[in-house]
Amino acid sequence: MPDHKLRERFELLKGAEYHKNELIVELLRRLEKLDIDYQQMALDHQRETQFNREGQLRERELREELRKLKAFMNRDPFVLVLIDGDGMIFEDKYILKGEIGGKEAAARLWHEINDYVHEKLPDIPSDCRIVTRIYANMKGLAEVCYKAGIAERAGLLEDFYRGFTGSKILFDFVDVGPGKDRADEKITELFKLHLSDFHCQHIFFGCSHDNGYARLLEQYTEQTVTDQITLLEGVPFEKELHLMRAKYSTVKFEGLFRTNKINIYNQPQSGPHHLGKVSSESSTLPSTQSGYQSPYQPIIGVSSSSLASGNPSTMNPRAPTWASAATSAAQLVSPPPTPRPATAHPASSTEIPRNRHGQRIDPPTVYDKDEVNRLRKLKLCNVHFLRGDCDYDPCTHVHKYKLTKNETAALKTIARMVPCFYGTECDDPKCIYGHR
């Protein structure tokens, strides 16, 4: 074979060797990269595996905690029966039986609530317990019932309270003592506390006699909240509460609570402990020293016909209860004065506007409704600011406040919303109350 042929074949082999070496180098480079990628993926996989394992363990722990929490939340469920005893009063037939009547009233209330829960509230557990709290001025209520002739002795009410509280472990009749709004404040705070308590499945709220609770209820608008509340009716719902009935469930247990307010005046005079008799159009509760207990809790006139009709009161946005009667009744040392005859007016009556029948009339007033609502919340002493002769020491209302001209006009309107004890026969030039 010629030399040039050998050289050509050598060059071909030399080129093939070069390409072979290049291929081997490329393969080795790719292998190194794949090894690096593999190591990274192995680390990632190991990390993911550890994360998943920890996540599974955490999920297991959380599920166990959730199970325990649900078991805790479902433990000891109860419904709360919260009643303002100053206005939601049990029927006379229970009170007259004393301690036995208290036990019967508690048993009746328990059965009525239990039946209602099983029939109307199926989502509540069957082992749900019933907790009842009634707040009232016990001594004052006893005095009022005695003076009204409901109880033959004041101690009979104490027997009733004892029987009611002792009949059920979770039933309590709580004495708040004398003083305006004491029961209201305790009930309001307890209502708010239990409304957010997950153990409390439902609240039965006995407040039909007092417009003041409308301020509390109007704060809650969500249906999930309002569905947890049922309003108990004793006396007919006051005006503002009556308007809220569409939002809340209501129930009335016939024969358990009084449907009319206590009248301590329309009783026959049979001894030093009975009060004088006045007409059926007179007020159903006593005022203070014959007139008023405080500037914000005087007499509200409610006729017997209005009670019978069941219409909500429109006389006062915060109708008085037997607590106001009790506080003032405890201060009475003699029967209230009898309304003066229409024919006997002293000389000072000429300064008082009267119609052609000799009946006192009130001049019209101009006032700002928003200003009136604002001043009501301040709890100013009407007697101090409008008459200047408040004799209460200590007075439960505000004296230290500088009234503007518009505020004075609004305060006069607030005071006039309360009917005067003497009505159109009043001949006191300084009288601040309304004369209809």
Side-chain angles (χ1 to χ4, degrees), residues 292 294-295 381-391 432-433:
Y292 46 85
S294 68
C381 178
N382 296 353
V383 178
H384 171 73
F385 288 105
L386 301 181
R387 290 180 59 101
D389 55 2
C390 178
D391 296 328
I432 63 177
Y433 300 117

Side-chain angles (χ1 to χ4, degrees), residues 43 86 121 143 174 248 290 334 373 399:
L43 289 175
D86 289 336
L121 306 171
E143 185 70 16
V174 182
Y248 294 92
S290 106
S334 62
N373 293 333
H399 282 207

Side-chain angles (χ1 to χ4, degrees), residues 44 61 105 161 165 359:
D44 292 343
E61 293 174 356
Y161 305 147
T165 302
Q359 298 171 323

Side-chain angles (χ1 to χ4, degrees), residues 214-398:
R215 306 288 82 75
L216 169 64
L217 295 173
E218 68 185 8
Q219 301 176 29
Y220 307 102
T221 57
E222 297 181 4
Q223 186 174 356
T224 54
V225 177
T226 58
D227 287 346
Q228 298 178 15
I229 303 168
T230 296
L231 303 182
L232 297 180
E233 182 177 3
V235 298
F237 284 102
E238 291 293 331
K239 182 178 181 180
E240 295 184 44
L241 291 171
H242 185 78
L243 297 176
M244 302 180 69
R245 293 185 62 181
K247 189 189 301 184
Y248 294 92
S249 300
T250 62
V251 62
K252 183 175 183 178
F253 300 138
E254 297 292 343
L256 182 58
F257 295 102
R258 292 178 63 98
T259 57
N260 57 356
K261 298 177 182 178
I262 293 180
N263 187 340
I264 71 168
Y265 286 157
N266 291 345
Q267 307 297 328
Q269 185 172 351
S270 58
H273 297 289
H274 289 275
L275 302 179
K277 180 180 180 181
V278 299
S279 68
S280 62
E281 295 298 325
S282 64
S283 61
T284 58
L285 294 176
S287 54
T288 62
Q289 187 96 6
S290 106
Y292 46 85
Q293 173 198 351
S294 68
Y296 269 78
Q297 202 156 344
I299 286 297
I300 299 296
V302 181
S303 67
S304 59
S305 60
S306 65
L307 290 175
S309 65
N311 293 329
S313 171
T314 59
M315 302 291 291
N316 188 358
R318 189 177 182 86
T321 62
W322 66 345
S324 60
T327 305
S328 57
Q331 300 171 351
L332 292 173
V333 295
S334 62
T338 304
R340 298 174 176 84
T343 57
H345 297 299
S348 61
S349 65
T350 58
E351 304 173 4
I352 299 173
R354 296 184 182 273
N355 60 20
R356 60 190 180 89
H357 300 293
Q359 298 171 323
R360 179 167 181 167
I361 57 175
D362 294 322
T365 59
V366 179
Y367 64 93
D368 185 340
K369 182 178 179 181
D370 294 334
E371 188 73 358
V372 168
N373 293 333
R374 184 183 69 84
L375 285 182
R376 276 179 176 166
K377 298 177 182 179
L378 298 181
K379 295 187 177 181
L380 301 177
C381 178
N382 296 353
V383 178
H384 171 73
F385 288 105
L386 301 181
R387 290 180 59 101
D389 55 2
C390 178
D391 296 328
Y392 289 93
D393 186 19
C395 179
T396 59
H397 291 75
V398 176

Side-chain angles (χ1 to χ4, degrees), residues 86-154:
D86 289 336
M88 289 283 290
I89 311 168
F90 286 97
E91 284 280 7
D92 297 354
K93 63 182 180 182
Y94 295 110
I95 296 177
L96 289 172
K97 294 181 181 180
E99 185 171 349
I100 295 177
K103 293 180 179 180
E104 291 179 355
R108 170 76 188 283
L109 179 60
W110 188 94
H111 284 294
E112 292 285 4
I113 296 295
N114 187 62
D115 292 343
Y116 184 91
V117 169
H118 285 84
E119 294 175 8
K120 306 292 185 180
L121 306 171
D123 294 336
I124 294 181
S126 58
D127 61 339
C128 185
R129 295 191 287 181
I130 299 174
V131 178
T132 299
R133 296 287 183 271
I134 302 179
Y135 291 87
N137 174 8
M138 291 187 178
K139 183 177 180 181
L141 299 184
E143 185 70 16
V144 167
C145 288
Y146 175 49
K147 291 180 180 293
I150 297 174
E152 60 184 11
R153 55 185 177 86

